[in-house]
């Protein structure tokens, strides 16, 4: 079982947004500087934080979840029309049984799991992930790039006239929250405030909600997303209607995440780890059916609500043609030499191969 749920810090982004709007990001108050330090400290120490952004409302999240529940409830043959395996599943739908949990194939991770205390160990999946996912690109893409497949055109399912507007609206709002958190983190790390956001411009950002069929797979212990890290820069989640997300803190403790109403969860990804020379480790996490999930299923049944668990997840990326390397003073970090310079797009392609979304069986032991 996870440790008793630890309260991750909740950082209100409003004071920073207000100051940035009023004085073009000039002098920051002591209060706002402390908030920036909280963001950087939380990413460094826990790999995660909760934020409140006045521009991302609970109603926005609900509208998005309502539409995605209706989509995932469609028959499998309908959903498969949006499948694009030739584009590495980076747009459109990924059916259940395609994504390979990293912990099934990565010898380094398997050894790491064996060394954990029993109460901190993840649930070990025995098969490919039994979840669906929909990938929707958010924001502009570069006209010229070495990595065309990572910047493909979006796929829109028939019968959802509100699809594009709903996806674009929620996606852009979550990107805005990430950009503010990234600026605040840079300030907290004593870097120029645009150190991260300047590298995100025209990145292959993806809104990637997952759909897990709790009617079919809602048994305690079912692993919907095996123990893994995210390959991107920062990941942001809106609140799901069914619990089940566990994260691992830097100290190795396993924590069940409770996202308060009106909050968003941000997790550090592998590209942030790269840019900080290993000072901010990519956050490990899993999605598993727990006792709390079962209670939520029972309530949903009584209220005649959907039994698809939808995650409201956005992957913010560094632009594909940017060279990843430790930034500024992070070049002197103790582990910086483990993060050689390489294109962000090249790194993403290696990772997609490892988790079976690109066809190659190459395993990157990161």
């Amino acid at each position: 079982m996870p440790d008793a749920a630890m309260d991750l810090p909740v950082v209100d982004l409003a004071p920073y947004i207000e100051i940035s709007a009023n004085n073009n990001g000039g002098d920051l108050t002591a209060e706002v500087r402390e908030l920036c330090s909280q963001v950087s400290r939380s990413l460094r120490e826990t790999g995660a934080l909760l934020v409140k952004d006045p521009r991302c409302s609970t109603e926005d999240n609900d509208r998005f979840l309502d539409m995605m529940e209706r989509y995932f409830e469609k028959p499998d043959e309908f959903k498969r029309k949006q499948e694009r395996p030739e584009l590495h599943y980076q747009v459109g739908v990924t059916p259940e049984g395609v994504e390979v949990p990293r912990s099934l194939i990565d010898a380094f991770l398997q050894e790491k799991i064996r060394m954990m205390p029993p109460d901190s160990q993840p649930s070990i999946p025995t098969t490919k992930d039994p979840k669906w996912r929909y990938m929707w690109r958010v924001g502009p893409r570069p006209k010229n790039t070495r990595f065309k497949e990572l910047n493909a055109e979006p796929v829109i399912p028939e019968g959802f006239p509100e699809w594009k507007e709903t996806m674009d609206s929620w996606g852009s709002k979550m990107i805005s929250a990430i950009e503010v958190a990234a600026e605040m983190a840079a300030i907290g790390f004593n870097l120029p405030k645009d150190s991260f956001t300047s590298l995100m411009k025209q990145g292959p950002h993806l809104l990637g909600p997952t759909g897990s069929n709790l009617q079919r797979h809602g048994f305690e212990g079912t692993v919907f997303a095996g123990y893994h890290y995210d390959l991107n820069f920062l990941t942001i989640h809106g609140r799901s209607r069914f619990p089940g997300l566990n994260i691992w803190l830097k100290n190795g403790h396993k924590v069940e995440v409770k996202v308060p109403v009106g909050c968003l969860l941000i997790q550090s990804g592998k590209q942030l780890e790269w840019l900080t020379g290993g000072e901010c480790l990519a956050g490990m996490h899993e999605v598993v059916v727990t006792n709390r999930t079962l209670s939520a299923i029972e309530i949903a049944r009584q209220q005649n609500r959907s039994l698809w668990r939808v995650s409201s997840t956005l992957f913010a990326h560094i632009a594909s043609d940017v060279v990843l390397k430790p930034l500024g003073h992070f070049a002197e970090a103790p582990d910086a030499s483990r993060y050689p310079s390489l294109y962000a797009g090249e790194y993403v392609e290696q990772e997609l191969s490892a988790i079976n979304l690109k066809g190659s069986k190459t395993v990157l032991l990161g």
Side-chain angles (χ1 to χ4, degrees):
M1 287 294 290
D3 296 350
M6 174 192 132
D7 288 331
L8 291 169
V10 177
V11 178
D12 187 354
L13 305 184
Y16 182 88
I17 293 168
E18 200 174 312
I19 277 192
S20 295
N22 291 343
N23 68 358
N24 296 320
D27 292 337
L28 300 177
T29 63
E31 177 209 5
V32 169
R33 285 201 174 277
E34 176 50 34
L35 290 174
C36 293
S37 295
Q38 267 189 50
V39 171
S40 58
R41 188 164 56 243
S42 193
L43 289 174
R44 194 192 293 247
E45 292 174 6
T46 70
L49 79 151
L50 292 163
V51 299
K52 264 190 176 167
D53 187 326
R55 303 164 303 178
C56 298
S57 71
T58 302
E59 292 73 27
D60 289 330
N61 191 41
D62 283 341
R63 187 165 74 112
F64 174 76
L65 292 178
D66 289 347
M67 184 183 78
M68 292 313 304
E69 284 175 355
R70 281 195 296 111
Y71 172 76
F72 285 124
E73 282 167 354
K74 293 281 187 190
D76 287 2
E77 56 271 24
F78 172 87
K79 294 193 291 268
R80 284 185 179 275
K81 291 177 186 170
Q82 289 84 54
E83 192 179 358
R84 300 292 183 273
E86 71 280 7
L87 296 174
H88 316 328
Y89 296 100
Q90 287 301 283
V91 290
V93 80
T94 305
E96 63 177 66
V98 172
E99 288 190 38
V100 179
R102 189 97 199 195
S103 47
L104 267 187
I105 56 171
D106 189 326
F108 175 79
L109 270 191
Q110 289 167 353
E111 182 58 28
K112 183 178 169 184
I113 291 168
R114 276 194 291 273
M115 303 294 285
M116 291 177 176
D119 60 351
S120 285
Q121 287 185 357
S123 302
I124 303 300
T126 52
T127 60
K128 295 179 179 180
D129 288 341
K131 69 174 189 298
W132 292 73
R133 186 191 294 284
Y134 207 101
M135 287 295 206
W136 179 264
R137 69 178 206 170
V138 177
R141 294 304 200 250
K143 295 230 174 353
N144 299 304
T145 173
R146 297 170 187 80
F147 303 98
K148 289 229 183 323
E149 306 118 325
L150 299 183
N151 296 282
E153 285 301 313
V155 179
I156 301 176
E158 288 173 30
F160 287 82
E162 76 280 36
W163 186 273
K164 185 176 188 309
E165 195 275 327
T166 303
M167 299 295 260
D168 286 347
S169 169
W170 185 233
S172 63
K173 286 181 180 188
M174 290 212 288
I175 282 280
S176 296
I178 287 262
E179 286 172 340
V180 169
E183 280 194 7
M184 292 174 75
I187 292 165
F189 287 135
N190 292 316
L191 295 170
K193 75 168 192 175
D194 66 347
S195 294
F196 298 125
T197 52
S198 62
L199 306 181
M200 289 172 60
K201 285 187 175 29
Q202 297 191 331
H205 313 308
L206 289 165
L207 185 54
T210 61
S212 304
N213 187 348
L214 296 171
Q215 182 90 40
R216 184 173 165 196
H217 300 295
F219 306 102
E220 189 168 4
T222 299
V223 182
F224 282 120
Y227 180 71
H228 68 287
Y229 57 76
D230 290 343
L231 58 86
N232 52 298
F233 170 56
L234 288 171
T235 301
I236 185 165
H237 308 264
R239 190 171 185 271
S240 174
R241 289 171 175 163
F242 296 91
L245 176 66
N246 295 324
I247 68 170
W248 276 258
L249 308 181
K250 198 171 183 177
N251 63 12
H253 289 159
K254 178 180 180 178
V255 174
E256 187 171 358
V257 178
K258 295 179 180 175
V259 179
V261 173
C263 289
L264 302 159
L265 173 72
I266 293 179
Q267 282 193 282
S268 52
K270 203 71 173 177
Q271 292 174 346
L272 177 64
E273 181 176 323
W274 216 280
L275 296 170
T276 60
E279 291 289 300
C280 291
L281 296 178
M284 304 302 299
H285 50 285
E286 68 178 2
V287 178
V288 180
V289 176
T290 65
N291 267 328
R292 287 182 62 236
T293 321
L294 296 180
S295 301
I297 291 171
E298 195 45 48
I299 292 166
R301 275 208 174 100
Q302 290 167 9
Q303 297 177 350
N304 205 25
R305 287 191 287 108
S306 174
L307 291 180
W308 278 83
R309 181 192 187 277
V310 175
S311 73
S312 176
T313 301
L314 182 135
F315 303 101
H317 279 258
I318 300 303
S320 305
D321 294 274
V322 163
V323 174
L324 286 178
K325 61 182 179 183
L327 297 178
H329 61 80
F330 287 117
E332 309 303 318
D335 290 330
S337 61
R338 295 182 54 210
Y339 300 91
S341 298
L342 86 164
Y343 288 115
E346 188 183 344
Y347 170 70
V348 169
E349 288 187 337
Q350 286 181 20
E351 285 280 352
L352 293 179
S353 295
I355 57 174
N356 207 35
L357 293 183
K358 199 183 169 207
S360 157
K361 294 290 184 266
T362 310
V363 176
L364 183 82
L365 296 182

